[in-house]
Amino acid sequence: MLNCSETEKLLDLYLDQELDPQTKEKCEQHLGHCSRCSELLELRKQERETIINGFPVPELAAGFSKQIMEKIANPTLNRTPSKNPWLKKWMLPLTAACLVALVLYGAFSQGIFSSPQDAMLTDQKLEQSREIANVTEGNSSASPQKDVQEGTITPEPALPPDAIAPDERTVNNGSDLDTGVSSGQITPISPTNAVLTPQYLPAGFVRSSASSSGYVGKGGSPAISILSFENPQTGGRLCLEIITVNTGAEMNAQDTPVTTDQAQDIALHQMATRYVEKSGQGYWVRIYGDVPQTELNKVLDSLK
Amino acid sequence: MEKKLTDQDLVQRTLSGELSAFEKLVLRYQQAVFNIVFRILRNKEEAEDIVQESFIKCYQSLNKYDQRRPFTPWLYRIASNLALTRVRQIKRQRLIPWDTASSQLPDQNTVNPAASLEAVEIKQEVSSYLAKLKPLDQLVIILRYYQDLNYDEIAYILDTTRNNVEVRLCRARQRLRQILKNQGVTKCSTAVKQKNSLISI
């Protein structure tokens, strides 16, 4: 004897007449005395009726069979154009060509491959930087002691972007990311172009490079100029960052984007900061490097 | 009185070169094939194309047909496969030009316009609810409910086992039942039924 749960599971098979005779008999026995399952059976019949009557199909036109027979008799009529565009012979090669073009464009635009023109430009820049390096070396070797003693900076020509120290690149790239600076270009500057130049440098230090980051920031974000100095004998380094700010503005993290490498540099070395005004324009200056704090302060004091 | 030729007779005659015999098969089953294909595709033009293609394919591969088996499941198998392939193509192209107008056919048995309208709404709903099932589940429901085929015949058409059909049918029914229940279609159907009975009284 079947219970209600078992019968319920068999109702669809019962209506489909797919039950074996024995199970069918058991099912009917249960339905004979169980009003709940009988009601459920009626509901299933009703559902079935709704589904069957709920989806009418239009009648085919009278001449439909003739169309089929014509196509069978005349196989050339049978060739109906494919509705699947992928099956068209030219679609696949065209798609493949578009994909290849897209990939190549992406690769070139990302600099994975360089065009011949780019290669030529790079060679030129390298050559330029070599020449500049030679000039700088010549100057410094000619009278290094004099420069150090007088505490003046050896003038140097503008450096091409490729000649900028790697850590400065990082600083500028970091500023792009953190402050929303529109241009990621590092513009080399000469001492004459620098807004502030130190008149004093610790003994043995000469300028190694100078750069500024051109930009348009939100609400007048500061321009950053970075001057780097090094002591060729000891390998010591000094980094001077000049950030243009509104007069009286406080220096905060947003004004001074710091990369991970730079933060490590600051943590490992001495650092000094100062607010300086020149021609009514305010600047926050930060200096850090391998020299005592007093030397850093002297450099800041000498800024003009 | 001429004895009605069986499907196998007509197949034999077709194979022996009598094209008119095949035309009789077409006339005999074109509407049945169209009923299946239209319910899968829900577009008259698409369905007609597939029906034509089905009969052409049937004619071309008639020599492969096992004459010990009934003819219709074999024909339905060809048509179902072509229709399902077309559904996949349409889905891929994202065109899905479902012909809703064709499912809005008025019920000729109903007289009352309001009741007729309600019945049309139900028909639209049943069609759209069926469309919510997977294409293969739809086909199982169509073959069982609309073509009244048994599980073995459905299994042959789908090229699967009887148990698989039973499981798939059970799952499709549960899903469809849930949809109908959520939308209150069964109750609505009862209301139409009651209205129609009142009109006849």
Side-chain angles (χ1 to χ4, degrees), chain A residues 99-126:
Chain A
L99 279 172
V100 168
L102 200 66
V103 168
L104 285 175
Y105 173 76
F108 273 109
S109 65
Q110 292 296 316
I112 295 168
F113 302 121
S114 57
S115 64
Q117 288 86 350
D118 289 343
M120 281 173 68
L121 280 172
T122 311
D123 290 344
Q124 282 175 359
K125 284 174 184 174
L126 280 171

Side-chain angles (χ1 to χ4, degrees), chain A residues 166-189:
Chain A
D167 57 348
E168 288 175 6
R169 264 179 217 279
T170 316
V171 169
N172 284 291
N173 290 341
S175 71
D176 288 355
L177 288 170
D178 297 338
T179 61
V181 170
S182 62
S183 166
Q185 297 300 312
I186 298 165
T187 311
I189 56 171

